[in-house]
Amino acid sequence: MTSDTTVTQKIELPTREDETWWRQAAVYQIYPRSFADLNGDGIGDLRGIASRVPYLAELGIDAVWLSPFYPSALADGGYDVADYRDVDSRIGTLDDFDELVDALHAANIRVVVDIVPNHSSDQHAWFQAALAAGRGSAERARYIFREGGGERGELPPSDWESMFGGSAWTRVADGQWYLHTFATEQPDFNWDNREVRDDFLTTLRFWADRGVDGFRVDVAHLLVKDLPETLPSRMELDAMDAASGSHPLMDRDEVHDVYAEWRALFDTYDPPRTAVAEAHVSTPERRARYASALGLGQAFNFDLMGADFDAAQFRAIVTENLAQADLTGSSSTWVFSNHDATRHATRYGLPPARGTGQKAGTAWMLAGAPAGEIDLAGGVRRARAATMFLLGLPGSAYLYQGEELGLHEVGVIPGSRRQDPAYLRCADTGAWSFDGLGRDGCRVPLPWRSEGASFGFGPGESHLPQPAWFAQYSVEAEDADPDSTLNLYRHALALRHRLQSAEHLEWIETAARDVLHYRRPNGWEIVTNFGADAVALPSGRIVLATGPVTDTLPGETTVWLAP
Ligand code: NOJ
């Protein structure tokens, strides 16, 4: 048994011209308002991100995905876009954007931007024009307006609920109602309208021409709807088959006509622009359609987010998704954390899920465990083991800012400081519950330094309050600690460029039920002990370990073995 934690072999990074760069990329999600604040207004900005390009390069990621940075009234953290072809003045300018893209490209890091096509902000010029133009107008036809029920149209057209709680319909001054799947301030577009389709093609071209390499497509399954004259009730909708391709509101087969047009546009670029769908659909088969090479090309698979820290569950999910990727010709995607979910270090530290008796990995929205009931150290230990399991898999790894620090969810934020409509609209109704706390806890600005105003996020206070315990998770603190989660990620991401090869793995059967062991075609092996007890260590040259390893593999630990 030898241990080698230094990278000696020359690493071949994909070049900028490589069309297949996305297939096994490590993509790092940046939530721009919470990454780095250079101008000191408490909100992260593009120049702040640019100032951290050396950090991103050292981390070893292949691409960044920027969550929305467009002008927005921030009714939904920027997912309410007021202008798809500009930068929010609090975040920067188009020139700042160009400079950021140049700096990232110079560091061999590609750039993916978020496109939000299901709905705009109610501040968008088109929605304002729709309000002004009145019923029956071409302006209203870009959105989904309906007359209300009741004797004077005073009732919403249907009893549908928005994803953030409350009615999915809001009434405007002249009495009509408009549909919003999410917050009131996020009116849904009418994708049967050719103007809407053309405008999004213009937007995609706008960013692709500026050098953007790919797009993340928000709720890609919701765009196309088929609303009959008499709308079905919520109960009737719930009883419909969401996998039929003909559900009135989601995952309709015709949505792929939209993405075929987008693909035709992407393929006019050299290299072709990429896209990844956020599609919450009911089966892996339905998800595969979004990953088609004739469409967006790749789709998020959130299955591991919903799994316990459990060998059997992980193995079943990986096997199924690799089989799907084989069928579509796309590559699989793996995610543990993002801006919508409780951070995975915290999920894995929660007490056994209520009622199930299992470890609480399943409770991916369960931020509400009282402080003291979360096993903080155990959560980080399991998150490190799980992430190193993930980083060895074939396909793309999507990482969320701060997870490289083993950062925990911030559970305690005063209600008056919370921003998430999932909290503000649901606190009473519990509709999209997130256990009532919303998603602000994973969006708290990053700690760069162990002390000082906003822990180095910016010169002043940050827009969401940071807890005192952020100090010990700061980049500064972890940089100095060879065993930190940050240094583990750096080491793994550097090795990953050597580990990634043909997009397959072979499971190696082990005697221990809680252990998963797989081998990549070029001989690299990943072994994770999901159990609590130590097991025999497989033979091989260990190049990475998530915790101390002696002559056994301790519980909740992953090792990588190089050929
Ligand atoms: C999915 C995004 O990830 C989430 O943050 C947002 O609230 C909804 N889509 C609506 O855009």
Side-chain angles (χ1 to χ4, degrees):
M1 181 71 49
T2 56
S3 176
D4 161 16
T5 47
T6 51
V7 186
T8 45
Q9 196 174 310
K10 186 173 176 304
I11 295 170
E12 293 296 337
L13 295 175
T15 62
R16 286 261 311 130
E17 290 68 41
D18 180 359
E19 290 193 6
T20 63
W21 67 268
W22 55 276
R23 295 193 67 92
Q24 306 207 62
V27 185
Y28 181 87
Q29 181 189 358
I30 291 181
Y31 190 75
R33 289 175 178 80
S34 297
F35 190 69
D37 171 22
L38 210 77
N39 68 6
D41 63 358
I43 297 173
D45 41 54
L46 297 182
R47 293 183 60 218
I49 301 171
S51 74
R52 300 295 180 183
V53 169
Y55 172 80
L56 297 169
E58 190 182 355
L59 184 56
I61 44 136
D62 303 302
V64 295
W65 146 29
L66 300 171
S67 276
F69 48 80
Y70 314 111
S72 169
L74 299 183
D76 181 20
Y79 284 87
D80 47 321
V81 179
D83 181 348
Y84 289 87
R85 302 194 279 273
D86 203 352
V87 175
D88 191 320
S89 58
R90 290 163 291 189
I91 291 191
T93 62
L94 282 169
D95 285 344
D96 293 342
F97 181 83
D98 293 341
E99 279 172 30
L100 175 60
V101 171
D102 286 348
L104 287 164
H105 282 168
N108 206 20
I109 297 171
R110 289 168 173 80
V111 183
V112 173
V113 299
D114 220 310
I115 291 293
V116 189
N118 178 67
H119 43 268
S120 71
S121 158
D122 61 353
Q123 303 303 307
H124 190 284
W126 274 8
F127 192 73
Q128 291 298 315
L131 292 183
R135 16 165 83 70
S137 61
E139 287 83 353
R140 282 211 179 170
R142 297 170 181 145
Y143 292 91
I144 302 175
F145 278 87
R146 280 290 172 106
E147 300 302 336
E151 278 180 16
R152 293 173 309 284
E154 74 280 12
L155 298 176
S158 71
D159 64 350
W160 302 346
E161 281 202 353
S162 92
M163 296 277 200
F164 294 144
S167 174
W169 298 94
T170 290
R171 199 171 196 195
V172 302
D174 62 23
Q176 272 203 315
W177 298 74
Y178 68 88
L179 179 69
H180 50 90
T181 304
F182 294 91
T184 312
E185 299 86 351
Q186 292 169 294
D188 282 31
F189 279 118
N190 169 16
W191 274 85
D192 291 336
N193 185 307
R194 189 65 241 176
E195 260 191 292
V196 170
R197 294 189 184 215
D198 287 343
D199 197 61
F200 271 91
L201 291 171
T202 305
T203 293
L204 295 169
R205 209 176 286 116
F206 179 86
W207 294 108
D209 286 348
R210 297 192 103 88
V212 155
D213 301 277
F215 299 92
R216 177 263 186 193
V217 183
D218 192 67
V219 288
H221 58 304
L222 295 183
L223 277 48
V224 177
K225 303 178 178 74
D226 182 28
L227 302 187
E229 204 43 45
T230 307
L231 298 176
S233 69
R234 183 149 45 108
M235 261 178 66
E236 285 166 338
L237 275 181
D238 287 349
M240 290 178 191
D241 179 5
S244 62
S246 55
H247 187 282
L249 295 183
M250 65 185 78
D251 193 23
R252 294 185 62 77
D253 288 340
E254 304 94 279
V255 79
H256 298 291
D257 299 342
V258 172
Y259 300 133
E261 283 192 355
W262 290 21
R263 172 51 53 197
L265 172 72
F266 296 155
D267 287 350
T268 62
Y269 288 88
D270 181 21
R273 298 323 191 219
T274 67
V276 56
E278 186 214 22
H280 296 279
V281 294
S282 45
T283 64
E285 290 74 17
R286 296 298 302 175
R287 187 197 301 144
R289 295 170 175 241
Y290 296 82
S292 157
L294 303 174
L296 295 177
Q298 198 179 47
F300 279 119
N301 137 37
F302 296 118
D303 299 351
L304 285 177
M305 262 180 164
D308 292 324
F309 182 75
D310 175 272
Q313 291 182 40
F314 270 51
R315 179 166 172 165
I317 288 169
V318 169
T319 303
E320 175 170 24
N321 280 285
L322 290 180
Q324 285 298 325
D326 266 352
L327 286 179
T328 60
S330 182
S331 66
S332 202
T333 57
W334 310 107
V335 192
F336 280 130
S337 280
N338 65 24
H339 67 297
D340 289 332
T342 302
R343 286 185 176 279
H344 67 289
T346 308
R347 292 198 317 263
Y348 290 141
L350 289 170
R354 290 157 200 174
T356 69
Q358 298 170 330
K359 264 190 208 130
T362 40
W364 69 292
M365 291 172 180
L366 219 176
E373 278 190 30
I374 300 175
D375 172 6
L376 297 174
V380 172
R381 186 173 59 248
R382 290 187 274 272
R384 286 163 62 111
T387 308
M388 295 307 129
F389 173 90
L390 174 146
L391 285 176
L393 292 171
S396 313
Y398 284 84
L399 310 172
Y400 178 54
Q401 68 176 42
E403 70 163 87
E404 77 278 20
L405 305 172
L407 205 58
H408 275 287
E409 186 82 0
V410 180
V412 183
I413 301 175
S416 59
R417 300 287 303 272
R418 288 193 180 267
Q419 304 172 4
D420 181 9
Y423 169 82
L424 301 173
R425 286 177 66 98
C426 290
D428 299 335
T429 68
W432 193 16
S433 90
F434 296 88
D435 243 26
L437 284 181
R439 302 163 293 177
D440 293 312
C442 64
R443 301 175 179 183
V444 175
L446 288 191
W448 292 91
R449 293 208 315 268
S450 302
E451 47 195 35
S454 61
F455 296 106
F457 164 67
E461 207 192 332
S462 65
H463 67 103
L464 279 168
Q466 300 157 303
W469 53 261
F470 257 33
Q472 77 201 65
Y473 292 90
S474 74
V475 172
E476 179 183 44
E478 297 207 15
D479 195 35
D481 172 4
D483 296 326
S484 68
T485 304
L486 175 60
N487 280 319
L488 177 67
Y489 270 66
R490 286 173 174 160
H491 184 49
L493 288 165
L495 288 176
R496 188 177 142 90
H497 289 119
R498 283 162 48 190
L499 175 154
Q500 291 297 355
S501 51
E503 292 170 30
H504 296 287
L505 60 73
E506 173 198 355
W507 294 108
I508 298 175
E509 300 306 332
T510 72
R513 206 172 47 91
D514 286 332
V515 173
L516 290 184
H517 184 165
Y518 62 85
R519 186 189 292 130
R520 297 296 302 272
N522 59 357
W524 284 69
E525 293 177 32
I526 313 291
V527 189
T528 301
N529 181 0
F530 288 83
D533 301 327
V535 297
L537 196 58
S539 60
R541 187 165 68 94
I542 297 178
V543 290
L544 176 146
T546 62
V549 171
T550 49
D551 49 349
T552 57
L553 177 61
E556 302 179 335
T557 302
T558 294
V559 289
W560 288 12
L561 309 171

